[in-house]
Amino acid sequence: KRGYQSSIALPLKSGGDILACLAIYAGEPDAFAADEVSLLEKLADNLAFGIDVLRMRDERRQAEQALRESEERYRTIFQNSPLGIFRSTVEGRFLEVNPALAKILGYDSPGDVIREIVNIGEQIYPNAESRIRIVAEQLGAAGDIMQHHNRYRRRDGSECIANLYLKTVRDAEGRPVFFEGIIEDITERMQAEDERERLQAQLVQAQKMESIGRLAGGIAHDFNNVLSAVIGYAELALREADISERLYGYLQEIRKAADRSVDLTRQLLAFARKQTVLPKVVDLNETVTGLITLLQRLIGEEVHLTWQPGARVWAVKVDPSQIDQILTNLCVNARDAIENTGTITIQTRNGVLDETYAADHPGAVPGEYVLLSVTDDGQGMVRETLAHVFEPFFTTKEMGKGTGLGLAMVYGIVKQNNGYIDIDSEPGRGTTISIYLPRHMGEAGQSGVSADEETVAQGDETILLVEDEPVILDIARLVLEKCGYRVLTASRPNEAIRLVKERACEIHLLITDVIMPGMNGRELADAVLGLCPEIRCLFMSGYSGNAIAQHGVLDEDVHFIQKPFSTADLAAKVRQVLDGE
């Protein structure tokens, strides 16, 4: 009935007689620790002794001695207890305070507490109404001891979290005289619990990312093979001279649809940090400058694009195409957040993240960075939206106007490059997305240029093409043969090794898929180079895993082309590898 969940009963003994039983009840299970039991046993002994003394008035001196001993024990417990113990008036002034409570509240001594705190509700409680509520509950309750969970203000203005166990002491007529209480400081425990929950959330997020990464890898490998065939055959058909204008238009639409599918797959890979990249040491200012004209066309004339490069910006090591992906997605998002006209500002500068910043921003690592930020004066975002913006497939755009992969992809790219991303936004005040890329101690080089779609590189060398997907093998062979190359094909690694043994002197280049049954592309290349070291190698894949790249970053001596690729890109890459560039 009263909500008690545990109790302890102790006999009060006098000689061989049991005078009474001391029963204590608590509102929580297993409430009595071993040291408390020991203490209560001593208390029971003292109570029994007191009763015995009262029954034997002629032993009054012994009773007085027992009382003094009991008081000394109480005083010892009061002074040495790690819990804060106090006695206060109902109105809110301390009458007695032990050293532990003084320490909890940040005071040097109990005397300082009693002198300086003249109104408990206003000086200790962050909200004075909290004590008013507690006092009302305490005085109106039938039970003696009640538990309250509160925040308390320390002497220096900081706050602690504590459990308060409060008892109302009443006179013979039942009127409240004062409060006795125990305060248990649980600040460190709560902080540890918060840290545990934060780490648990990070673990769940990491596991989710890993699961999505594995899913993305599987999708990319199979889907990009299909797209390779669609793009390849469409481009070959477009190069035919005798097709009708209507058929040419159909093929162009097929090519465009395939390109959109390629973008979706690459965004998913980028988010999952499974995108295969070739980092280069670059000057971020030069890289961004080369994109400004394209970005302005992308966002339209109604939105003004401002470029503010920082002075003497440090070099960073990143795949230049990833900067293109980052800025394209951020600028498109910024444009969509702007109603009618507005401004998007891109900035770079050097920056340092210190220990204090990293402690307050999970995921940030102290060090030197180059900051790339994109700011818009659009509508901004509410807190609930900010909590989900980097999740895949989360979008606030209308149906059909967004995939929800843009910011997720940006997040993945930043993490893949050991960077940090932060977002600051409020409704009506726009949004700033800040990307911190680690400083690279070295000079920046020049980024490469993409293949010219109108110019297809030619050659007459012999190429060994290895691909376990028949349709990809066929389309790649057709493309290479149209470029003038002699092509040997193999659908299995062991078949390719046999051809190398038979015709090694004829073969100039090995082109191999990375993910194949029985033997991956790296293992095949090692076997081929062991037979004929002069043969050059080019890897191709929609998802390479860790066979030729660690965490998606290509080894520096590796030539790679990402599926799906255009005929011009394949021809240009083959020529580049054969020419030793």
Side-chain angles (χ1 to χ4, degrees):
K1 263 186 176 181
R2 298 179 182 271
Y4 298 135
Q5 298 190 51
S6 60
S7 66
I8 183 170
L10 303 106
L12 277 58
K13 299 178 181 179
S14 174
D17 299 329
I18 296 178
L19 305 178
C21 177
L22 172 63
I24 302 174
Y25 301 87
E28 57 184 5
D30 302 322
F32 302 97
D35 57 344
E36 292 173 335
V37 172
S38 177
L39 180 63
L40 291 171
E41 287 173 345
K42 293 177 181 178
L43 177 60
D45 290 342
N46 290 336
L47 289 173
F49 183 73
I51 294 173
D52 205 32
V53 168
L54 290 174
R55 293 174 63 188
M56 299 179 290
R57 294 179 181 275
D58 59 339
E59 297 178 1
R60 188 181 189 89
R61 185 176 54 83
Q62 296 179 22
E64 291 175 350
Q65 178 63 27
L67 185 60
R68 285 193 295 271
E69 290 176 358
S70 179
E71 176 65 23
E72 182 60 32
R73 289 191 184 98
Y74 168 77
R75 182 55 51 186
T76 299
I77 294 171
F78 183 82
Q79 292 293 332
N80 299 327
S81 172
L83 301 176
I85 304 175
F86 70 91
R87 180 178 292 173
S88 72
T89 66
V90 175
E91 293 74 24
R93 181 149 191 164
F94 284 118
L95 300 173
E96 195 172 10
V97 172
N98 76 336
L101 182 57
K103 183 178 179 181
I104 290 172
L105 297 177
Y107 289 83
D108 297 329
S109 68
D112 291 341
V113 176
I114 293 174
R115 281 191 303 273
E116 296 185 27
I117 299 177
V118 296
N119 189 315
I120 293 175
E122 293 183 357
Q123 292 179 259
I124 291 183
Y125 284 80
N127 183 356
E129 293 181 358
S130 296
R131 185 176 188 274
I132 296 174
R133 174 182 52 80
I134 289 173
V135 169
E137 291 178 3
Q138 191 70 32
L139 296 179
D144 275 342
I145 299 176
M146 295 185 66
Q147 179 179 348
H148 310 274
H149 185 76
N150 302 294
R151 288 183 174 272
Y152 296 102
R153 187 186 297 115
R154 295 191 180 102
R155 189 181 198 178
D156 61 2
S158 62
E159 292 184 5
C160 65
I161 306 170
N163 289 326
L164 168 65
Y165 303 91
L166 197 61
K167 173 186 176 182
T168 306
V169 179
R170 302 176 184 271
D171 60 17
E173 285 73 31
R175 293 188 294 266
V177 180
F178 53 81
F179 290 137
E180 288 181 343
I182 295 176
I183 290 181
E184 178 189 15
D185 188 352
I186 59 172
T187 305
E188 292 185 1
R189 186 197 309 171
M190 294 296 293
Q191 290 173 344
E193 181 66 19
D194 290 344
E195 177 67 10
R196 188 192 68 79
E197 291 179 359
R198 185 182 68 83
L199 293 175
Q200 180 67 24
Q202 288 183 348
L203 176 60
V204 171
Q205 178 68 9
Q207 291 172 335
K208 181 172 68 174
M209 292 281 289
E210 182 61 28
S211 298
I212 293 175
R214 287 195 295 268
L215 175 63
I219 291 174
H221 180 260
D222 295 335
F223 193 49
N224 283 336
N225 276 341
V226 175
L227 289 175
S228 295
V230 173
I231 292 172
Y233 284 120
E235 288 189 343
L236 288 176
L238 286 168
R239 294 182 184 277
E240 294 293 331
D242 56 349
I243 62 173
S244 66
E245 184 176 345
R246 176 185 293 181
L247 182 57
Y248 187 88
Y250 291 160
L251 291 170
Q252 286 281 32
E253 290 304 314
I254 291 173
R255 183 70 169 86
K256 291 177 183 178
D259 286 341
R260 288 194 294 271
S261 299
V262 170
D263 288 339
L264 288 174
T265 307
R266 287 180 177 170
Q267 286 177 356
L268 188 59
L269 282 174
F271 162 73
R273 287 175 263 176
K274 301 294 183 181
Q275 183 176 228
T276 304
V277 296
L278 182 59
K280 299 178 181 179
V281 181
V282 299
D283 182 326
L284 203 56
N285 282 350
E286 290 184 5
T287 304
V288 176
T289 299
L291 296 171
I292 292 298
T293 301
L294 175 62
L295 293 173
Q296 183 64 72
R297 290 200 194 108
L298 186 67
I299 63 178
E301 297 180 354
E302 293 183 345
V303 177
H304 179 63
L305 181 63
T306 301
W307 166 222
Q308 299 177 356
R312 294 184 294 277
V313 169
W314 297 321
V316 295
K317 190 170 185 179
V318 63
D319 190 321
S321 66
Q322 291 185 311
I323 301 299
D324 186 353
Q325 290 175 301
I326 288 173
L327 288 178
T328 298
N329 278 279
L330 293 186
C331 286
V332 167
N333 279 355
R335 178 202 64 192
D336 293 343
I338 295 173
E339 296 181 359
N340 301 321
T341 61
T343 301
I344 298 174
T345 302
I346 302 175
Q347 294 177 300
T348 57
R349 62 176 175 83
N350 297 328
V352 177
L353 300 184
D354 56 21
E355 296 282 354
T356 302
Y357 184 92
D360 294 335
H361 296 76
V365 177
E368 295 181 325
Y369 294 84
V370 176
L371 170 63
L372 172 64
S373 65
V374 176
T375 302
D376 67 70
D377 55 4
Q379 57 191 3
M381 290 178 277
V382 298
R383 185 182 298 273
E384 290 75 13
T385 300
L386 286 174
H388 301 283
V389 289
F390 296 128
E391 295 179 2
F393 307 113
F394 175 81
T395 179
T396 58
K397 298 177 183 178
E398 298 176 12
M399 183 69 70
K401 291 190 176 181
T403 64
L405 284 174
L407 283 177
M409 184 204 68
V410 172
Y411 175 88
I413 290 175
V414 173
K415 292 300 180 182
Q416 188 177 33
N417 287 280
N418 300 315
Y420 175 71
I421 184 168
D422 187 33
I423 184 166
D424 180 27
S425 183
E426 290 184 21
R429 297 183 58 184
T431 301
T432 296
I433 296 181
S434 302
I435 293 170
Y436 297 84
L437 297 174
R439 177 186 183 182
H440 180 78
M441 305 303 292
E443 295 183 359
Q446 293 183 344
S447 59
V449 295
S450 60
D452 184 350
E453 291 290 340
E454 298 301 322
T455 304
V456 179
Q458 302 287 315
D460 58 1
E461 290 91 344
T462 299
I463 296 174
L464 172 58
L465 178 64
V466 187
E467 169 63 63
D468 64 311
E469 189 69 35
V471 67
I472 308 301
L473 185 66
D474 185 54
I475 189 63
R477 177 185 60 78
L478 287 173
V479 170
L480 293 171
E481 287 178 345
K482 283 185 174 293
C483 293
Y485 298 104
R486 296 184 297 276
V487 182
L488 305 175
T489 60
S491 59
R492 292 290 184 271
N494 56 357
E495 184 181 350
I497 293 174
R498 179 182 59 78
L499 287 172
V500 172
K501 290 179 179 178
E502 294 175 357
R503 309 175 68 171
C505 58
E506 302 176 24
I507 300 172
H508 300 88
L509 174 64
L510 167 69
I511 302 179
T512 177
D513 189 19
V514 176
I515 306 298
M516 295 183 294
M519 181 184 297
N520 65 44
R522 168 64 88 176
E523 293 168 337
L524 173 60
D526 291 341
V528 168
L529 292 175
L531 296 171
C532 188
E534 294 80 14
I535 295 178
R536 299 181 182 275
C537 297
L538 171 61
F539 298 98
M540 59 179 179
S541 183
Y543 166 61
S544 64
N546 290 326
I548 61 171
Q550 297 300 318
H551 306 293
V553 179
L554 284 172
D555 298 331
E556 292 186 358
D557 60 341
V558 170
H559 293 289
F560 175 80
I561 186 168
Q562 177 81 42
K563 293 181 183 177
F565 40 75
S566 68
T567 57
D569 284 337
L570 176 61
K573 193 67 178 181
V574 167
R575 194 67 261 159
Q576 178 189 14
V577 177
L578 286 170
D579 293 341
E581 296 177 4

